[in-house]
């Protein structure tokens, strides 16, 4: 080995307890979301929205992560996690933390947020606190809108305990027959398509289950209703599909979506006032143990608070922000601008509508455009981009769309889009067997005035989703660089055809070259540091859990390389451990927008190499998905992205800081980075 050879990174000498538990790290991320709801400096309805987000996040955590651990235990071959704990130990530990957070969340709504809302003439009241006129209005509403869709299900020898679908809210009812003295258990499902909180008067709302409970006598005429209790079930909702033996992925996925509602129970939420005998009955009938039972102050299912947050009370919301159109002015020729220079967009500060969406719409309408190729992972219910692709196909252009129909919890929407696109004449592909297509790519092929064909490319970090583009922080590169165009075209050919891997110019692609490409560049920083050259690593992503990447970063830190990690969510790396990670800092920014961009900066001896793209640093991204990073050229764009990462680590910016034990501390002083960026783009 010569002095210029990269230093091999091996795990020898690294302590076995060097990884934080990923499940606990995720729960602590959701705890930071809860802290936003508890921040008095934020507008009140935005705090309500964060309570709703917390609930939705926790639902997904149980449906996927907890379900996965339970499934691993059920195999009889439990494997220890990278943190060194057995699945059973992890389940016990996260159950304790999840219970604490769930109770804190429910109590904070009841004791703090609900009274604050009431002071602003937004009251969420239980049935007992309604006025007579409001009850009369609810009696009529029940008769006309609620009663017709209810189906009470009694449990007796002729009627077994009903199957409770996932995420459904239910009433457990005890019914007594005065004629024969028998008592029966019954279940009434709260209709999910009706509002979670029913408006009883302007600014006054009551939980839907309270309205149903007040009218149970109408559902069980001639019976005595002895009691009722609200409960909610969460089930395993991760999909299991063997693509190797599945000929029609679309049909198989549709069948799996029907089965999803009835996976094994992973959580049972009940109000803390529930009768012990009723709870015991639910535990027995659902086949769960007490560890998955969550006794919470009512009302349950606070994800429904998003409707309260959507109320038209602008004085209790963030001030309206209009994204900038400066990088691609509306009166500029988009194709001419892209021919002249690369365009770096930073959403939501730069308008998605006026840049990426505009590219697809203008390409669809331009008679000089011959072909459009695009990946779709998630998109909106009414998608201008899908409409543009359909228009392009109608105009006779070649339109190729790689739709990832296994995008978790968006499967049905993507199936619908895929069928709609196929019917319009688009070539719809579902990617590569065994891999999710998560990369964000668009390619427009246009015939220029001199007869040559030019490729217009977009490589981004966010989905082609106009709605979330206003809420998620993402970056993207619009370019006509021939090397990028050639690379993007090769990726599409690989996704839609049958081809060998190619050597690419400016892209790193998972699962082929991305992992090795990142590790080789980390090794280069170590070598540069040993040579006395400028060396530094700056990464921004959503999650960092991959052991190989983490070990590489530990080796870099041991060699003395400064490492700055700007991580929104999960981080399994322990920063600041003497002899292991003393030069590593981990920061997190949570706020109005969801930090979603992935940017990787390597100091490279003073000539920084900057990459952006779709990949987080997790096993699934590096090994089980098609992900793409693009190398950003141009001093101004590299400086802009590097500055973004530096600002996220700045001592004068309000951030969360990760300690070596996995605990986050909040720095409240300083400036809000997202607010700074909004001001700069106004």
């Amino acid at each position: 080995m010569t002095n210029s050879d990269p230093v091999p990174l091996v795990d020898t000498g690294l302590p076995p307890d060097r990884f934080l538990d990923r499940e606990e790290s995720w729960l602590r991320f959701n705890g930071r979301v809860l802290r936003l709801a508890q921040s008095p400096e934020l507008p009140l309805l935005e705090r309500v929205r964060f309570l709703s987000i917390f609930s939705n996040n926790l639902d997904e955590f149980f449906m996927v992560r907890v379900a996965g651990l339970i499934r691993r235990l059920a195999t009889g071959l439990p494997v220890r996690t990278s943190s060194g704990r057995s699945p059973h130990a992890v389940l016990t530990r996260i159950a304790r933390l999840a219970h604490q957070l769930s109770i804190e969340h429910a109590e904070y709504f009841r004791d703090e947020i609900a009274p604050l809302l009431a002071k602003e003439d937004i009251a969420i009241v239980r049935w007992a606190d309604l006025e007579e006129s409001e009850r009369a209005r609810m009696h009529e509403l029940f008769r006309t809108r609620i009663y017709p869709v209810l189906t009470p299900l009694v449990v007796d020898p002729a009627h077994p305990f009903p199957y409770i679908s996932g995420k459904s809210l239910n009433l457990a009812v005890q019914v007594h027959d005065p004629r024969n003295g028998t008592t029966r258990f019954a279940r009434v499902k709260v209709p999910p398509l009706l509002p979670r909180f029913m408006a009883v008067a302007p600014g006054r709302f009551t939980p839907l289950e309270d309205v149903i409970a007040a009218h149970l006598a109408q559902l069980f005429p001639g019976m005595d209703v002895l009691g009722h209790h609200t409960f909610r079930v969460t089930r395993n909702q991760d999909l299991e599909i063997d693509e190797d033996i599945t000929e029609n992925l679309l049909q198989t996925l549709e069948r799996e979506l029907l089965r999803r509602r009835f996976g094994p129970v992973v959580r049972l939420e009940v109000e803390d006032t529930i009768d012990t005998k009723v709870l015991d009955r639910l535990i027995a009938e659902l086949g769960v143990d007490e560890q998955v039972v969550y006794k919470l102050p009512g009302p349950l299912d606070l994800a429904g608070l998003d409707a309260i947050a959507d109320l038209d009370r602008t004085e209790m919301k963030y001030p309206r922000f209009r994204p900038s159109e400066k990088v691609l002015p509306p009166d500029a020729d988009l194709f001419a601008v892209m021919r002249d220079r690369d365009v770096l967009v930073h959403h939501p500060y730069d308008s998605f509508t006026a840049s990426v969406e505009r590219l697809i719409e203008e390409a669809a309408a331009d008679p000089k455009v011959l072909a459009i190729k695009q990946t779709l992972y998630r998109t909106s219910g009414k998608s201008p981009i899908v409409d543009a692709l359909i228009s392009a196909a109608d105009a006779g252009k070649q339109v190729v769309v790689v739709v990832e129909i296994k995008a978790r919890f968006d499967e049905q929407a993507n199936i619908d889009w895929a069928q709609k696109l196929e019917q319009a004449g688009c070539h719809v592909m579902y990617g590569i067997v065994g891999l999710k297509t998560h990369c964000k790519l668009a390619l427009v092929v246009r015939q220029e005035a001199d007869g040559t064909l030019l490729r217009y490319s977009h490589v981004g970090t966010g989905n082609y989703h106009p709605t979330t583009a206003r809420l998620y922080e993402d970056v993207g590169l619009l370019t006509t660089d021939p090397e990028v165009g050639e690379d993007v075209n090769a990726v599409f050919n690989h996704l839609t055809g049958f081809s060998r891997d190619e050597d690419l110019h400016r892209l790193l692609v998972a699962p082929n070259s991305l992992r090795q490409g990142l590790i080789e560049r980390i090794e280069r920083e170590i070598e540069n540091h040993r040579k006395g050259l400028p060396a530094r690593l700056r990464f921004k992503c959503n999650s960092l859990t991959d052991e190989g990447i983490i070990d590489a970063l530990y080796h870099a830190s041991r060699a003395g390389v400064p490492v700055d990690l700007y991580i929104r969510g999960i981080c399994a790396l322990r920063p600041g451990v003497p002899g292991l990670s003393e030069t590593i800092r981990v920061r997190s920014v949570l706020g109005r927008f969801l930090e979603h961009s992935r940017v990787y900066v390597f100091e490279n001896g003073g000539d920084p190499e900057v990459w952006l793209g779709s990949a987080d640093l997790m096993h699934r991204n590096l090994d089980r998905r098609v992900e793409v990073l693009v190398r950003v050229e141009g001093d101004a764009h590299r400086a802009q992205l590097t500055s973004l990462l530096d600002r996220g680590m700045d001592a004068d910016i309000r951030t969360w800081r990760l300690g070596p034990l996995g605990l986050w501390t909040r720095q409240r002083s300083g400036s809000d980075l997202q607010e700074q960026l909004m001001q700069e783009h106004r």
Side-chain angles (χ1 to χ4, degrees), residues 8 10 90 151 224 316 346 353 439 459 654:
V10 293
V90 172
T151 304
D224 296 329
M316 289 187 285
H346 189 190
T353 302
C439 53
V459 183
R654 292 202 294 266

Side-chain angles (χ1 to χ4, degrees), residues 75-368:
T75 64
L77 297 170
V79 179
R80 288 188 177 274
T81 64
S82 60
S83 63
R85 299 186 186 129
S86 67
H88 184 270
V90 172
L91 276 172
T92 301
R93 190 177 179 94
I94 63 176
R96 188 182 308 120
L97 181 55
H99 271 91
Q100 293 171 359
L101 289 171
S102 298
I103 292 171
E104 181 182 357
H105 171 254
E107 290 180 342
Y108 193 79
F109 169 72
R110 180 193 63 191
D111 300 336
E112 300 291 339
I113 295 297
L116 288 173
L117 287 171
K119 289 180 181 179
E120 299 293 341
D121 297 322
I122 302 174
I124 299 177
V125 293
R126 306 307 294 257
W127 182 266
D129 300 317
L130 294 182
E131 298 174 1
E132 282 303 317
S133 60
E134 294 171 336
R135 292 189 183 187
R137 194 173 298 114
M138 288 298 100
H139 291 325
E140 177 63 17
L141 186 76
F142 179 84
R143 185 183 67 82
T144 58
R145 289 188 58 197
I146 302 175
Y147 180 79
V149 298
L150 296 179
T151 304
L153 298 174
V154 71
V155 179
D156 60 24
H159 302 86
F161 191 86
Y163 216 92
I164 312 296
S165 57
K167 294 178 67 177
S168 64
L169 195 63
N170 305 270
L171 290 174
V173 187
Q174 294 166 294
V175 183
H176 177 74
D177 186 342
R179 290 187 179 179
N180 58 26
T182 59
T183 299
R184 293 280 186 265
F185 178 95
R187 173 257 191 160
V188 179
K189 181 177 180 178
V190 178
L193 297 182
L194 294 178
R196 175 72 189 85
F197 297 100
M198 305 297 293
V200 298
R204 286 174 63 81
F205 304 85
T206 194
L208 176 56
E209 66 271 22
D210 281 18
V211 179
I212 296 172
H215 297 85
L216 286 174
Q218 296 182 38
L219 293 174
F220 302 97
M223 301 291 125
D224 296 329
V225 177
L226 303 180
H228 62 270
H229 305 277
T230 309
F231 71 97
R232 182 171 183 264
V233 163
T234 311
R235 293 183 177 275
N236 170 16
Q237 294 199 9
D238 210 11
L239 300 179
E240 297 182 52
I241 298 174
D242 187 348
E243 295 181 50
D244 292 330
I245 59 174
T246 297
E247 293 183 5
N248 192 322
L249 184 59
L250 206 62
Q251 292 180 2
T252 303
L253 191 57
E254 287 179 310
R255 288 195 299 269
E256 279 293 312
L257 288 172
L258 292 174
R259 290 177 49 197
R260 167 185 271 176
R261 294 179 301 152
F262 305 113
V265 175
V266 294
R267 179 179 55 165
L268 170 61
E269 296 169 276
V270 298
E271 289 200 14
D272 52 12
T273 55
I274 192 169
D275 178 81
T276 302
K277 291 182 179 179
V278 174
L279 177 57
D280 290 343
R281 178 72 179 269
L282 288 173
I283 290 173
E285 295 286 3
L286 293 169
V288 299
D289 59 50
E290 293 190 6
Q291 183 172 275
V292 306
V293 177
Y294 286 68
K295 293 183 180 180
L296 304 172
L300 303 179
D301 191 16
L302 293 181
L305 287 172
D306 60 347
I308 304 299
D310 286 339
L311 291 174
D312 187 17
R313 297 287 299 273
T314 56
E315 75 278 13
M316 289 187 285
K317 297 184 179 183
Y318 288 124
R320 184 174 178 180
F321 170 68
R322 182 176 179 179
S324 170
E325 298 179 352
K326 185 169 63 175
V327 293
L328 271 174
D331 57 350
D333 183 326
L334 179 145
F335 294 112
V337 171
M338 288 184 64
R339 286 195 300 271
D340 181 59
R341 58 182 171 85
D342 288 355
V343 177
L344 182 68
V345 287
H346 189 190
H347 312 302
Y349 314 106
D350 294 318
S351 171
F352 177 85
T353 302
S355 56
V356 179
E357 186 178 313
R358 180 183 169 194
L359 170 64
I360 304 304
E361 289 181 330
E362 291 196 9
D366 188 341
K368 295 180 182 178

